[in-house]
Amino acid sequence: MISVRDFTEKIVSNVEKVIVGKRDAIELAMLALLCEGHILIEDVPGVGKTMLARSLAISLGCVFKRVQFTPDLLPNDVTGVSVYNQRTTDFEFRPGPAFSNILLADEINRATPRTQSSLLECMGERQITVDGVTHLLPGPFLVMATQNPIEFEGTFPLPEAQLDRFLIRLSIGYPHLDDERAILLSQRSSHPIHSLKQVADAQSLIECQDSIHQVHVEQSVMDYMLGLARGTRQHSDVLLGSSPRGSLALYRLSQALAAVRGRQFVIPDDVKHLAYCALSHRILLKPESQLRGTRPEDVIESLMASLTVPISAG
């Protein structure tokens, strides 16, 4: 069986042919895939959010579907609908785009809360219930949602329950000068996404997902994770801290990162590297703290500075 490290390197290197100079963001997306989690990407238009999702799907040979979220989008447009068949005099279920391996929910905050909530069941339970009938989603299944952090006119902010369903929140960011020059050169004749090849398959991903659970987490490192998550609930700037789902996300992501680094045990640096993307979107600040310019990342940084880091692990 292929190792998690080799598998991840193969996928990341392939995606880098399209998403230039953003290895950290690609690796974080791969960690979410390995943990069977979902991704929220907050970034400005044109930095490669859609291309990242498409590149991952092509690299794994997975079914990719994209839904452009708009105010008039209905829940059935995402999940599917039952249609009456006059020949059989019965209702037939026609699956929506959610029945895929990688679903891109583009500009998710432009849809109404009713439509946003249609993703809750499929993200949390990997199934969809329509007209009282439950349909299982194919595996692997990943929701990659995007939203613009700058333009808020005509948007509906994601509620805490929806945000908590996302394993990580990340940002791709603008490329460096040399990377942007390489992008221009690579797209002089055609987009590299059109020549991207499949380098792995979904079955290999599922096998790697299973092996992640075998990575050892020492008690002191686990306590460090819990200290970070529980500290967000007691911080003076925080109105609502991370849920237990946040602690579990940090635990699983740390296991995945250790495996990607070729280790069978988690070290504190794994936790520190992942705390921001796993916990920041689960922190709701007090209004007065927001007015002072405090960010969720500042809360996590202060917690990491105050907590005692385990000396050794493994």
Side-chain angles (χ1 to χ4, degrees):
M1 185 182 73
I2 187 172
S3 70
V4 175
R5 184 176 188 175
D6 293 341
F7 174 81
T8 304
E9 178 59 33
K10 185 184 297 186
I11 300 296
V12 171
S13 298
N14 199 49
V15 174
E16 279 188 305
K17 297 175 183 177
V18 178
I19 309 297
V20 180
K22 297 297 178 181
R23 188 177 183 86
D24 288 345
I26 301 170
E27 189 176 79
L28 284 174
M30 275 303 302
L31 292 180
L33 270 172
L34 291 169
C35 296
E36 303 178 69
H38 308 289
I39 306 169
L40 176 63
I41 305 180
E42 280 190 354
D43 221 323
V44 296
V47 294
K49 300 185 293 293
T50 302
M51 288 298 108
L52 175 59
R54 287 184 61 189
S55 300
L56 286 172
I58 293 173
S59 299
L60 290 164
C62 291
V63 177
F64 171 78
K65 297 286 180 66
R66 177 179 182 269
V67 180
Q68 184 65 49
F69 277 60
T70 55
D72 60 347
L73 190 74
L74 298 176
N76 287 344
D77 295 329
V78 179
T79 59
V81 63
S82 295
V83 179
Y84 183 72
N85 189 322
Q86 292 183 340
R87 291 184 179 180
T88 62
T89 66
D90 202 357
F91 284 91
E92 296 179 353
F93 178 67
R94 295 186 178 177
F99 286 83
S100 58
N101 298 122
I102 296 180
L103 173 66
L104 177 64
D106 205 10
E107 294 189 290
I108 188 173
N109 57 335
R110 293 202 175 276
T112 61
R114 180 188 176 196
T115 302
Q116 291 176 9
S117 65
S118 67
L119 289 173
L120 288 175
E121 183 182 12
C122 63
M123 291 174 67
E125 303 173 44
R126 303 300 197 275
Q127 65 182 32
I128 287 175
T129 302
V130 178
D131 295 333
V133 180
T134 299
H135 307 270
L136 297 179
L137 293 171
F141 177 69
L142 167 76
V143 172
M144 186 179 292
T146 71
Q147 59 181 11
N148 185 340
I150 305 299
E151 186 181 359
F152 294 106
E153 185 177 352
T155 63
F156 301 86
L158 295 179
E160 293 303 312
Q162 182 91 48
L163 285 171
D164 204 35
R165 291 297 200 284
F166 289 100
L167 185 75
I168 61 173
R169 180 177 65 178
L170 61 88
S171 174
I172 297 176
Y174 288 119
H176 295 299
L177 175 61
D178 291 341
D179 295 328
E180 192 162 5
R181 182 182 292 112
I183 292 171
L184 296 181
L185 293 173
S186 68
Q187 298 189 30
R188 283 183 298 182
S189 56
S190 64
H191 200 289
I193 193 74
H194 300 311
S195 58
L196 198 67
K197 304 295 183 183
Q198 178 181 346
V199 296
D201 54 43
Q203 184 57 41
S204 298
L205 173 60
I206 293 172
E207 291 175 3
C208 288
Q209 289 172 341
D210 293 337
S211 67
I212 293 299
H213 301 290
Q214 308 305 317
V215 176
H216 175 69
V217 183
E218 191 177 274
Q219 184 64 49
S220 60
V221 179
M222 187 185 303
D223 290 341
Y224 183 57
M225 297 180 193
L226 292 172
L228 286 172
R230 294 179 67 84
T232 63
R233 305 167 200 165
Q234 301 161 359
H235 198 280
S236 58
D237 287 321
V238 176
L239 181 64
L240 181 66
S242 171
S243 68
R245 189 184 280 127
S247 306
L248 187 58
L250 189 55
Y251 184 91
R252 288 178 174 170
L253 283 165
S254 298
Q255 286 181 303
L257 181 59
V260 168
R261 296 286 187 261
R263 286 184 272 104
Q264 283 299 311
F265 57 90
V266 174
I267 62 175
D269 281 348
D270 296 331
V271 182
K272 294 169 73 173
H273 179 70
L274 295 163
Y276 295 101
C277 66
L279 299 179
S280 63
H281 61 291
R282 295 181 163 92
I283 296 175
L284 182 62
L285 296 171
K286 293 178 179 178
E288 57 269 29
S289 299
Q290 295 182 45
L291 289 174
R292 289 198 303 269
T294 303
R295 304 173 305 153
E297 290 80 5
D298 298 328
V299 172
I300 297 171
E301 184 176 357
S302 68
L303 289 171
M304 287 197 290
S306 63
L307 290 174
T308 301
V309 181
I311 296 175
S312 62

